[in-house]
Amino acid sequence: ELKVEQNPLFLSMQEGKNYTIYCNYSTTSDRLYWYRQDPGKSLESLFVLLSNGAVKQEGRLMASLDTKARLSTLHITAAVHDLSATYFCAVGGATNKLIFGTGTLLAVQP
Amino acid sequence: GAGVSQSPSNKVTEKGKDVELRCDPISGHTALYWYRQRLGQGLEFLIYFQGNSAPDKSGLPSDRFSAERTGESVSTLTIQRTQQEDSAVYLCASSLGWAGDPTNEKLFFGSGTQLSVL
């Protein structure tokens, strides 16, 4: 059974600092997604990563995928308050359903 | 419509009552998911519909939960004899479906139904 874990679960950052969120998954998959959820809102897609070594960047966020290690990272560069949200990774399983990680609540402090 | 629509947005019910939640996916999306999100928690997979294939019901927590989907359109999630632990936001999402192309798997989420069982 596919299991997806994220760490940390909660991250308090100062503006301007860099940090990384990790997403580990338990079985082979060739696709991984990152989503963002603002408080009280639904989820929005950020990135789709489809192959080993894939890297996607948008603004201050950069996501990468290592399928051999079953690990994806979401790197935040020079954080700003607008990035405060909960970030989820999701992994495609053998039965084609997406399993979500536990989420990382990011709070960027001024 | 332009996005995934869920109704009602909020539902307050008494313990033991049945509730029905509705999801209208994006037109043309063959895949439809239901997830549950308890306060401060991650997304818990409930059920997955893909086209005319048998649904994947492996995430339904008990036999009080059931879901149906008519073709590739509306889906309803029914919870019978609601319990307080059923209180959560129920999220529906749709996508173009797998069909061997991961880019079609990107999920579009509705705004959810906040269910409160008193």
Side-chain angles (χ1 to χ4, degrees):
Chain A
E1 180 185 351
L2 174 61
K3 293 190 183 300
V4 183
E5 294 185 348
Q6 288 180 236
N7 70 82
L9 298 182
F10 177 71
L11 177 56
S12 180
M13 297 178 63
Q14 284 188 320
E15 281 190 328
K17 298 291 187 181
N18 304 333
Y19 211 80
T20 300
I21 299 170
Y22 298 88
C23 173
N24 291 88
Y25 52 99
S26 61
T27 63
T28 300
S29 177
D30 56 1
R31 56 206 196 278
L32 187 141
Y33 304 80
W34 283 95
Y35 287 82
R36 169 180 171 148
Q37 185 179 35
D38 290 299
K41 302 289 183 62
S42 195
L43 282 78
E44 293 185 10
S45 175
L46 291 174
F47 301 110
V48 176
L49 300 167
L50 301 176
S51 61
N52 188 41
V55 177
K56 294 281 184 72
Q57 182 166 5
E58 183 167 334
R60 301 174 187 274
L61 300 178
M62 183 174 71
S64 65
L65 178 62
D66 181 343
T67 58
K68 294 180 181 177
R70 297 177 188 164
L71 170 68
S72 179
T73 60
L74 181 66
H75 187 72
I76 302 145
T77 301
V80 293
H81 181 68
D82 286 352
L83 291 179
S84 296
T86 300
Y87 293 85
F88 292 93
C89 63
V91 179
T95 55
N96 301 330
K97 68 188 181 193
L98 287 184
I99 301 299
F100 279 75
T102 46
T104 297
L105 175 58
L106 174 65
V108 181
Q109 312 293 339
Chain B
V4 178
S5 176
Q6 290 187 246
S7 62
S9 55
N10 281 282
K11 177 71 177 179
V12 180
T13 191
E14 293 179 349
K15 178 181 172 181
K17 300 282 190 183
D18 298 350
V19 296
E20 189 173 278
L21 312 180
R22 178 187 170 103
C23 173
D24 281 276
I26 293 172
S27 178
H29 279 193
T30 62
L32 186 147
Y33 295 76
W34 284 97
Y35 291 92
R36 178 169 69 179
Q37 186 175 31
R38 291 196 168 104
L39 185 64
Q41 304 290 314
L43 273 70
E44 178 185 0
F45 167 79
L46 296 178
I47 188 167
Y48 163 56
F49 296 90
Q50 172 59 63
N52 294 319
S53 301
D56 181 338
K57 303 180 181 181
S58 60
L60 294 178
S62 76
D63 59 7
R64 296 187 294 105
F65 288 73
S66 63
E68 292 184 350
R69 186 182 187 193
T70 307
E72 295 182 355
S73 61
V74 172
S75 175
T76 55
L77 176 68
T78 302
I79 308 172
Q80 295 179 309
R81 304 181 302 281
T82 52
Q83 304 294 313
Q84 288 184 332
E85 63 262 28
D86 298 335
S87 296
V89 175
Y90 289 82
L91 289 166
C92 174
S94 71
S95 77
L96 288 170
W98 171 238
D101 185 351
T103 58
N104 290 336
E105 202 174 30
K106 174 181 167 181
L107 293 182
F108 294 81
F109 281 83
S111 53
T113 294
Q114 172 73 62
L115 175 65
S116 300
V117 182
L118 304 179

